[in-house]
Amino acid sequence: MALISIDRERNLLIAEMQGLDKLWALKSRLEIPLAHVRGATHDPGIAHEPKGVRVGGTHLPGVITAGRFRRDGEWVFWDVKNPEKTVVVELADEESYDRLVVEVEDPRAAVALIEGALARDA
């Protein structure tokens, strides 16, 4: 699971992996400039789509998808065990990932936080 926060002083979206997810994803924290975030959605269905090629991390179908994956020319960071809590964050071309697909405690609150930060910066 990831903890999503906004650092308003530095204009960053922060996704911090919690517990053993740091190990499974091979990453403990991602910092993305808000200017590079296009939007966020709650999308439980994405967990059932093909993941692509795992470049680093863990993939046990139906159990956990975590780490860096390449699919159809896109880089996607995953950290999902429970698809019902999945949030997808679309990123601009300047980032190393095209999107983040992460599990959060409260998907609606995470989407509202991200969208609110984007609206404030617009």
Side-chain angles (χ1 to χ4, degrees), residues 36-55:
H36 296 177
V37 177
R38 292 185 176 157
T41 57
H42 174 212
D43 186 0
I46 196 168
H48 304 292
E49 294 180 9
K51 310 302 182 277
V53 176
R54 179 173 43 104
V55 180

Side-chain angles (χ1 to χ4, degrees), residues 96-115:
S96 20
Y97 296 106
D98 295 287
R99 67 183 112 132
L100 310 178
V101 182
V102 295
E103 175 186 341
V104 297
E105 184 64 37
D106 185 343
R108 294 178 201 278
V111 168
L113 176 71
I114 294 166
E115 292 295 324

Side-chain angles (χ1 to χ4, degrees), residues 4-9 11-14 34 113-114 117:
I4 301 288
S5 62
I6 302 294
D7 181 333
R8 299 220 185 263
E9 287 182 20
N11 286 322
L12 293 174
L13 167 88
I14 299 169
L34 283 174
L113 176 71
I114 294 166

Side-chain angles (χ1 to χ4, degrees), residues 1-3 16-19 21-22 79-82 85 102-106:
M1 183 174 303
L3 177 63
E16 192 162 354
M17 278 33 84
Q18 304 293 298
D21 287 16
K22 295 175 187 180
D79 184 20
V80 175
K81 291 179 282 208
N82 180 353
K85 295 185 172 190
V102 295
E103 175 186 341
V104 297
E105 184 64 37
D106 185 343

Side-chain angles (χ1 to χ4, degrees), residues 69-122:
F69 290 74
R70 180 101 169 142
R71 178 175 174 228
D72 297 332
E74 289 188 333
W75 288 103
V76 182
F77 178 84
W78 284 82
D79 184 20
V80 175
K81 291 179 282 208
N82 180 353
E84 295 304 313
K85 295 185 172 190
T86 302
V87 169
V88 179
V89 180
E90 297 290 336
L91 303 175
D93 295 336
E94 295 85 4
E95 282 303 313
S96 20
Y97 296 106
D98 295 287
R99 67 183 112 132
L100 310 178
V101 182
V102 295
E103 175 186 341
V104 297
E105 184 64 37
D106 185 343
R108 294 178 201 278
V111 168
L113 176 71
I114 294 166
E115 292 295 324
L118 294 177
R120 184 178 176 184
D121 285 353

